Amino acid sequence: MREEMSRREAAELLRGHRKPRSPHGWGLLVALWLLAFYQPVVTEGHLRRKNMEFIFIRFSAWEFAGCDKLWAGLVTTLCHHIRQHFGALPLSVFHVLGSRPRFASGFSQREWVLKKGTCLKLWGLLLVLGVGIAILLVALLVPGIKESHALKVVGSAVASLSGSSLVLGALSILKNFLVSEKKKIERLTDSDRFAGQLGFMSKIREEVEVLVDFLAFMEVFERRRLRVVLEITSLDLCYPEKVAGVFNAMATLLSDANAPFIFLLAVDPSVIVPCLEQTGCMKGLADNGYLYLNRAVTLPFSIPEMGSRSRLRSVEAAIQTREDLLYRIIAGNVAKTRCGAVGTSPLPPAVPGWKAADSEAVAWIHEAFRCLHDGGDVLCRYLPENGANVRRIVNTIPITLRLLLHRGDAELSPRHAAAWVVLADRWPCRLSWTLQCLEDAGQGSGTSLWGVFQRHVGELSALRQALGKVLSLDGDPELFRAFLERDFPFGAAEARRLLGVTVNLDHSIRHQMGLLRALARLGKAAAP
């Protein structure tokens, strides 16, 4: 979108159109003058403009999840960023003196029309103020009239009335400058009067309408089209009623056909749809959350399956967040530089807390991450597409390897330990079922995990209804088969050793499966 914005800007300048301007610096004075005395006109030339500016606003619903009205947080975020982008002074002056644009009549290219009524009022107030001051000065200074109290009263009254009107206008601008739209909405949400939504939406609607009119004014002033892009994330982490509230806020902001808002809604439909179906917003739609989403979203975009290069970039981005590894990489590079300069052996310097075990753990961690990031290694093909899952795997591998070394179990390679972490993250239900069956059977070390799973997969299918939610956590079953049968054929002995250092597998799942298996066996024994 930024590239498209730059391309359109350059093309518009090549066509010979006037250069866009900004409400900053000298442009601020021009904007204030036009706000006070002119009304913008939407002409045919303005509608033909192709250059556009996107104002990007990120809204993380999780940050406002604790608020009573999450959707009010969306509106306040919008108001706050618009105020920051254009400045508080132009928006404050628009609240008092600004006027919404009107459409041109015919093919006129005149974009600004003098507000005659405002000018006449201002000049009238100044004229009355001047007359009042003149009368007061005459009553105070001219000999022979000084004793006329009536003239002094008339002069003072005329000057006070006209001057007070000007002062009230300045105070209104100052009030809007000091009290932002965000503070106004937050004050409304904290008020007991609006606790039951009494008049609340109408107040919010008024603030949004002022904001839309201000953006339309700035479009004509800047000589380009404006679009506010709101990126909404983390909505699938909030409570169902909060999710429905955000959709209501989006409907409020988009109710105007000319509203310059674009919403980018980044959500997981499998999480959002049940949230919507639990609220009352589904009435009339047969309680179908997917139907509601289809009517609310005008351009659906389901992200395609992640390719190998995208997976590697995701792993690299997650690895770069490991600050402990970055520190040791820098320290190692400094040590090599020093050793190369003095010609000594490349041993790491004596760093406080640097132990041999720690050095070995760092080497293991780097080797495991190298396998994840190696496009030629089969392990990278099993990485999840979700960035959160990738970060979870990257954060778990160092802990697992350190626990292995702490237990003195250095027989397993870092690659196999990393593969075990990936297995536990991608297929927690199937792995827990296999481990539980292995524990119940007490089979020897020569048994493979895939063989155990094959022998008891029919029993797992029989318990599919009881384990439905847990089974939904697993990835592709075919990949699970290829993982254990072909690429990483873990045996029972390896599984038992790795289970003691496995921290990314919920052991309560295995305990639940143990109870279900015991109950099933009791039912079979009681049947005869």
Side-chain angles (χ1 to χ4, degrees):
M1 294 175 77
R2 292 185 187 276
E3 291 174 359
E4 178 69 12
M5 184 170 62
S6 302
R7 188 189 65 79
R8 290 193 179 194
E9 197 75 46
E12 196 74 7
L13 291 176
L14 287 176
R15 281 193 288 265
H17 294 176
R18 288 182 295 175
K19 185 178 180 180
R21 51 188 174 184
S22 171
H24 302 287
W26 178 255
L28 176 61
L29 298 179
V30 178
L32 295 178
W33 176 263
L34 293 175
L35 277 168
F37 300 109
Y38 287 87
Q39 180 183 15
V41 180
V42 179
T43 63
E44 183 198 12
H46 175 72
L47 295 177
R48 289 178 178 273
R49 282 174 177 149
K50 302 297 183 181
N51 56 334
M52 185 176 295
E53 180 184 11
F54 294 109
I55 304 171
F56 295 97
I57 300 175
R58 290 192 173 185
F59 175 77
S60 176
W62 180 248
E63 297 179 9
F64 297 88
C67 302
D68 292 335
K69 299 177 179 64
L70 177 62
W71 59 271
L74 174 63
V75 179
T76 56
T77 302
L78 170 66
C79 296
H80 175 69
H81 281 82
I82 294 297
R83 187 182 181 92
Q84 273 191 332
H85 182 82
F86 293 104
L89 188 57
L91 188 55
S92 304
V93 175
F94 183 83
H95 270 279
V96 180
L97 300 175
S99 56
R100 64 186 308 170
R102 64 179 179 86
F103 287 91
S105 56
F107 293 95
S108 173
Q109 298 301 317
R110 189 180 179 185
E111 292 187 336
W112 299 98
V113 177
L114 186 67
K115 293 190 288 188
K116 297 179 181 179
T118 302
C119 293
L120 290 175
K121 291 178 183 177
L122 179 61
W123 284 112
L125 287 174
L126 292 176
L127 180 62
V128 172
L129 179 61
V131 171
I133 293 175
I135 294 174
L136 188 60
L137 290 176
V138 168
L140 293 174
L141 301 177
V142 176
I145 311 180
K146 292 181 179 181
E147 291 77 12
S148 176
H149 295 288
L151 199 58
K152 293 179 181 178
V153 171
V154 171
S156 300
V158 172
S160 299
L161 289 175
S162 56
S164 62
S165 300
L166 297 173
V167 171
L168 286 176
L171 288 177
S172 299
I173 295 175
L174 181 62
K175 177 184 176 182
N176 284 280
F177 182 81
L178 296 176
V179 182
S180 64
E181 294 76 18
K182 179 181 178 180
K183 291 181 179 177
K184 293 178 186 176
I185 297 174
E186 288 176 347
R187 192 177 297 170
L188 287 175
T189 55
D190 294 337
S191 174
D192 295 335
R193 178 186 172 191
F194 295 96
Q197 304 287 326
L198 177 61
F200 189 85
M201 289 302 296
S202 63
K203 292 290 184 180
I204 298 295
R205 185 63 191 161
E206 290 176 6
E207 295 294 337
V208 172
E209 287 177 353
V210 171
L211 209 61
V212 171
D213 293 341
F214 175 72
L215 290 171
F217 177 92
M218 295 309 298
E219 274 193 345
V220 180
F221 171 76
E222 293 192 4
R223 305 187 186 120
R224 57 187 168 195
R225 312 300 296 274
L226 296 175
R227 291 296 180 269
V228 180
V229 182
L230 290 99
E231 177 190 342
I232 303 178
T233 60
S234 304
L235 194 60
D236 40 16
L237 298 177
C238 302
Y239 294 120
E241 60 273 9
K242 305 288 182 67
V243 174
V246 170
F247 276 91
N248 290 336
M250 291 169 54
T252 301
L253 294 174
L254 294 174
S255 59
D256 188 351
N258 298 319
F261 301 123
I262 300 173
F263 286 94
L264 299 181
L265 190 62
V267 295
D268 184 354
S270 64
V271 178
I272 294 297
V273 166
C275 290
L276 293 173
E277 291 175 350
Q278 291 180 34
T279 62
C281 63
M282 295 291 99
K283 302 304 180 184
L285 292 174
D287 294 333
N288 191 333
Y290 285 102
L291 182 58
Y292 183 87
L293 277 183
N294 288 340
R295 297 194 176 188
V297 179
T298 56
L299 178 60
F301 185 88
S302 182
I303 300 177
E305 184 178 353
M306 186 181 293
S308 57
R309 285 184 295 178
S310 299
R311 291 176 192 266
L312 295 181
R313 282 198 297 265
S314 178
V315 173
E316 184 179 3
I319 291 174
Q320 289 177 353
T321 62
R322 299 288 307 182
E323 296 182 358
D324 53 344
L325 296 181
L326 293 176
Y327 167 75
R328 286 166 176 78
I329 292 172
I330 294 172
N333 291 338
V334 172
K336 291 178 181 178
T337 304
R338 289 179 179 176
C339 295
V342 299
T344 58
S345 59
L347 293 175
V351 180
W354 190 296
K355 301 179 181 179
D358 193 43
S359 302
E360 186 178 3
V362 171
W364 273 42
I365 293 169
H366 278 293
E367 175 62 21
F369 285 162
R370 187 197 64 77
C371 297
L372 287 180
H373 196 260
D374 186 3
D377 196 313
V378 69
L379 179 59
C380 71
R381 303 175 190 173
Y382 294 100
L383 290 175
E385 299 180 6
N386 193 332
N389 290 55
V390 173
R391 286 191 296 271
R392 188 162 59 238
I393 290 173
V394 168
N395 290 333
T396 305
I397 287 175
I399 300 174
T400 304
L401 293 174
R402 288 179 184 277
L403 288 174
L404 274 175
L405 291 175
H406 180 72
R407 296 178 59 179
D409 194 351
E411 296 181 9
L412 289 169
S413 65
R415 180 174 179 270
H416 277 73
W420 181 265
V421 172
V422 173
L423 176 63
D425 184 86
R426 295 297 310 274
W427 299 280
C429 179
R430 284 172 171 80
L431 178 59
S432 298
W433 176 258
T434 306
L435 293 174
Q436 183 60 39
C437 294
L438 185 66
E439 179 184 340
D440 293 343
Q443 293 170 328
S445 58
T447 307
S448 68
L449 289 187
W450 176 245
V452 175
F453 179 79
Q454 272 189 314
R455 281 192 292 272
H456 300 279
V457 67
E459 190 179 351
L460 177 62
S461 299
L463 298 174
R464 182 176 296 274
Q465 185 175 0
L467 298 174
K469 292 185 178 180
V470 183
L471 271 172
S472 65
L473 299 176
D474 283 3
D476 189 349
E478 292 299 325
L479 285 179
F480 176 74
R481 174 180 179 176
F483 189 96
L484 282 183
E485 185 181 25
R486 183 188 63 205
D487 296 325
F488 297 95
F490 285 104
E494 291 177 303
R496 290 191 179 97
R497 285 155 56 191
L498 286 166
L499 185 59
V501 297
T502 304
V503 296
N504 65 325
L505 184 64
D506 188 354
H507 298 291
S508 65
I509 297 176
R510 191 158 49 91
H511 296 158
Q512 180 185 358
M513 291 175 174
L515 292 174
L516 289 174
R517 291 197 75 201
L519 290 174
R521 286 196 297 267
L522 287 174
K524 289 180 181 179

